[in-house]
Amino acid sequence: MKIKYMLVVLMISITIGNLHAQTNMIAALNIGDKVPEIEFTLLNAIKPTVKLSDFKGKLVILDFWATNCGPCIDKFPKLDSLQKIFGDKIKIILMYPKKSMDTDTKRKINRIVDFQSRTISHPLNLLVTAEDTVAVQYFPYKAISHFVWIDREGIFRATSGDVKQKEIELMLAGKDAGIVQKNDLYVNPSHEAMFSVDTSNIKYKSMFTGYLDGLMDFKSKHRKSFFLSDIKGVRLINESLFNIINQVYNFPVQPNKVLIEGLNRDDVMQSAQKDVTLDWETKNTYCYELIAPRLTKEEIRQQAIVDIKNTFGITAGMGKRKIQCWVIKMDEVQHKKIQSTNKLVPRLLSLEQLMAELQHLDIPVVAETKYLTKLFPSFQTEDNFTRIKEADLQKFVKDNGLTLVKEEREMEVFVIKKVN
């Protein structure tokens, strides 16, 4: 009897526990759904929390981001500007979902926000959240930047990879904003079937396609390095032509030391100073799979080179060329001034380290100064929370009494060229 009683109590406890778990589960919303009440925990406001209903009558845009996403952080000044332009009509909120949130992560978020505030010379006009566990379930995603649009009536209207002023204007006017919907959770079964999961019966397979939608989930599960670990082959999904070529030819090179001949550069690789948009990705990325169990790794690499040439009429390799560069110079007056003041600035970098920090500029940087190893201080980029831009280089040179000019120099570069 006692055992029977204990079993009944146990079953009731399990049932209550299951019901409690179910009530805590949140179903993802669809476009057109009314958004339930959401509470936001804020890091940069007097009030520790606000609710979605506090923004009734405003267009609310949620920006899901991460501290290791440079392009996400680069958008903060633009979002700040949009918030200022539209004022009380909109509310942009920077959303940081709870992952392994701890004191250090909160500190890192605050450092990023502080750095961006110094960059634009005023505090960000954006609310910043941390430890979100609710909104991220209503609006799940796999890739960032991820923007969620909630209209003035609290209706979930769109997801996107970017935010444009014209889209906000149209949304506020109650018109179709023409936003390209970002749906990185959808898996297209027919596209997924094109790629090989079970390769045991494949003797040889080589395939190029254009961009295929609905493969984000498949890519995250099956993306491998150039040589697959379990089979001999290649699998690259929705990658730029440059990324494919770089993987195949295996020439590690700074992005700004890539020379493209006979092709439109923007078709081959995205500028490091621009964000990759969905429109660019759909037009300029490709899928490539090569499975060849009987070939050696080097034979696979050579076959991939042949595939690229046959498909795109492209070859690549290292070569010397004269190209436009930023040249940092020091004249005799500058040299003597540094000598007389013994002004070797603190937190010194080697020339190689400086060049590595500047590799995301559109053209290379060459230093032609009297001091070739310990002249340059580190850029104040707060652990690379943002990309260094041309304006940063200009300010850096001016602050250190140097001269910056744009000139041609001959150097070793990675050449991608059209051959037929």
Side-chain angles (χ1 to χ4, degrees):
M1 189 73 177
K2 194 178 234 183
I3 293 174
K4 204 181 266 189
Y5 173 76
M6 290 175 66
L7 285 172
V8 170
V9 171
L10 180 62
M11 290 301 293
I12 292 172
S13 299
I14 291 172
T15 302
I16 292 172
N18 287 339
L19 286 172
H20 180 70
Q22 288 173 20
T23 57
N24 283 336
M25 289 180 66
I26 296 176
L29 297 176
N30 296 312
I31 302 294
D33 286 348
K34 177 79 174 178
V35 181
E37 184 71 284
I38 301 174
E39 186 172 83
F40 305 97
T41 301
L42 303 177
L43 286 181
N44 66 335
I46 298 174
K47 290 178 65 178
T49 61
V50 292
K51 295 180 179 179
L52 183 62
S53 57
D54 293 334
F55 309 122
K56 186 176 181 181
K58 305 179 193 292
L59 169 63
V60 176
I61 301 174
L62 308 181
D63 173 16
F64 291 88
W65 67 289
T67 56
N68 62 352
C69 175
C72 300
I73 297 164
D74 284 347
K75 288 189 177 84
F76 289 180
K78 172 186 171 182
L79 297 175
D80 178 86
S81 176
L82 290 172
Q83 181 64 69
K84 186 176 180 181
I85 289 170
F86 291 99
D88 206 39
K89 296 178 182 177
I90 71 170
K91 183 59 67 175
I92 301 174
I93 307 175
L94 304 181
M95 301 291 298
Y96 198 96
K98 184 172 183 178
K99 298 170 185 176
S100 55
M101 179 64 69
D102 54 23
T103 306
D104 185 60
T105 307
K106 287 183 180 179
R107 183 179 65 85
K108 189 179 285 189
I109 293 172
N110 283 322
R111 286 175 64 199
I112 293 171
V113 171
D114 289 345
F115 175 75
Q116 290 293 340
S117 296
R118 292 198 302 274
T119 300
I120 60 177
S121 302
H122 66 258
L124 282 176
N125 292 307
L126 309 170
L127 293 180
V128 182
T129 75
E131 299 184 314
D132 168 68
T133 59
V134 176
V136 71
Q137 294 184 68
Y138 282 130
F139 313 107
Y141 60 89
K142 287 188 179 292
I144 48 179
S145 298
H146 184 74
F147 294 94
V148 170
W149 299 65
I150 303 171
D151 72 12
R152 292 179 169 189
E153 284 72 47
I155 305 299
F156 174 27
R157 288 300 179 194
T159 58
S160 64
D162 198 6
V163 174
K164 299 174 183 175
Q165 181 173 338
K166 187 65 177 177
E167 293 170 342
I168 294 176
E169 290 171 353
L170 290 170
M171 187 77 75
L172 289 173
K175 299 177 181 178
D176 180 8
I179 297 171
V180 177
Q181 295 293 333
K182 174 178 175 287
N183 186 359
D184 51 25
L185 296 174
Y186 169 68
V187 178
N188 188 318
S190 62
H191 289 173
E192 183 176 346
M194 297 178 73
F195 293 90
S196 311
V197 178
D198 179 9
T199 59
S200 57
N201 290 321
I202 296 179
K203 304 303 180 187
Y204 181 87
K205 176 182 178 182
S206 179
M207 176 188 75
F208 260 112
T209 76
Y211 172 87
L212 297 177
D213 65 344
L215 275 176
M216 179 63 72
D217 188 53
F218 181 82
K219 181 175 181 175
S220 65
K221 289 178 182 176
H222 299 283
R223 189 184 188 201
K224 308 281 187 179
S225 59
F226 177 71
F227 294 112
L228 304 182
S229 56
D230 47 349
I231 58 171
K232 289 181 178 178
V234 183
R235 180 178 294 130
L236 299 168
I237 298 171
N238 292 341
E239 297 283 358
S240 70
L241 196 50
F242 170 70
N243 286 347
I244 294 173
I245 291 169
N246 204 28
Q247 286 265 1
V248 170
Y249 281 84
N250 195 28
F251 280 121
V253 67
Q254 294 179 2
N256 58 15
K257 288 187 178 179
V258 176
L259 187 65
I260 298 173
E261 298 177 343
L263 294 155
N264 185 338
R265 188 182 185 88
D266 286 339
D267 294 339
V268 177
M269 62 189 297
Q270 186 80 349
S271 167
Q273 299 296 311
K274 299 176 184 176
D275 296 327
V276 176
T277 64
L278 181 60
D279 183 58
W280 185 90
E281 189 176 13
T282 55
K283 292 177 182 176
N284 298 292
T285 62
Y286 304 89
C287 299
Y288 177 49
E289 185 174 72
L290 168 61
I291 298 173
R294 295 177 181 177
L295 300 184
T296 65
K297 287 188 175 182
E298 184 53 35
E299 286 171 338
I300 288 172
R301 189 181 302 282
Q302 292 304 318
Q303 182 56 52
I305 289 173
V306 170
D307 285 347
I308 290 171
K309 184 177 180 182
N310 289 342
T311 306
F312 300 101
I314 289 172
T315 61
M318 299 300 294
K320 283 196 171 182
R321 297 286 194 280
K322 276 191 174 182
I323 62 171
Q324 283 278 309
C325 305
W326 285 115
V327 183
I328 301 174
K329 295 187 175 185
M330 175 190 291
D331 60 28
E332 284 302 316
V333 174
Q334 293 165 329
H335 174 53
K336 287 177 181 177
K337 185 176 180 181
I338 288 178
Q339 275 189 323
S340 64
T341 59
N342 196 25
K343 185 188 175 185
L344 286 181
V345 289
R347 289 195 337 276
L348 303 175
L349 285 177
S350 70
L351 185 61
E352 291 76 18
Q353 288 172 312
L354 175 69
M355 295 304 109
E357 286 204 28
L358 298 173
Q359 66 179 304
H360 293 297
L361 293 175
D362 278 342
I363 62 174
V365 179
V366 177
E368 296 176 353
T369 69
K370 295 282 185 178
Y371 297 100
L372 293 179
T373 54
K374 289 188 174 180
L375 174 66
F376 306 104
S378 174
F379 278 90
Q380 298 296 299
T381 55
E382 298 287 346
D383 299 333
N384 293 322
F385 291 150
T386 185
R387 297 190 192 103
I388 294 170
K389 298 180 176 64
E390 184 182 313
D392 300 317
L393 178 61
Q394 297 275 11
K395 183 177 186 302
F396 166 83
V397 168
K398 183 179 179 182
D399 290 348
N400 286 279
L402 301 169
T403 303
L404 184 69
V405 294
K406 190 181 283 188
E407 295 179 349
E408 278 194 344
R409 290 291 183 274
E410 184 175 72
M411 63 177 60
E412 195 83 9
V413 293
F414 185 56
V415 182
I416 299 173
K417 61 182 179 180
K418 188 81 170 173
V419 291
N420 58 40

